[in-house]
Amino acid sequence: MLVANSLPLIDRVDKALDSMRPYLATDGGNVKVLDVSDEGVVRLELLGSCGSCPMSAMTFKGGLEEAILRAVPEVTRVEAVNLTLRGV
């Protein structure tokens, strides 16, 4: 049996996002993990309609970021490369 913590960090982050992907897909969107730095910073790209949706900042902070931080404690920060987080 494969233990979750034995997976590479980027794979664990991607797996954590799987719980959010069905919700993103219903609105024509998705998310891609670009990289995870040695310092634990995750860089995401919001795809499809998620990149331009006015609710994407809330989806990012309340959904994507939270899912990653909860599932992968080694992550120190989550950033979206194509999202401006004004007032969030």
Side-chain angles (χ1 to χ4, degrees):
M1 184 168 119
L2 184 64
V3 178
N5 286 347
S6 69
L7 291 173
L9 197 56
I10 195 165
D11 292 338
R12 292 174 47 216
V13 169
D14 202 47
K15 186 168 176 53
L17 292 171
D18 284 346
S19 66
M20 295 299 300
R21 285 193 169 98
Y23 301 106
L24 301 175
T26 60
D27 290 325
N30 203 346
V31 62
K32 176 181 178 182
V33 180
L34 297 176
D35 62 63
V36 180
S37 75
D38 291 339
E39 295 80 27
V41 178
V42 174
R43 291 180 55 230
L44 303 176
E45 180 180 9
L46 300 175
L47 304 171
S49 63
C50 288
S52 59
C53 174
M55 298 299 290
S56 61
M58 288 177 48
T59 300
F60 173 76
K61 292 299 278 184
L64 304 175
E65 181 181 54
E66 185 177 310
I68 292 169
L69 293 174
R70 184 176 48 237
V72 189
E74 298 91 333
V75 170
T76 58
R77 190 170 76 236
V78 182
E79 301 173 348
V81 298
N82 59 337
L83 178 69
T84 302
L85 296 174
R86 293 188 186 121
V88 178

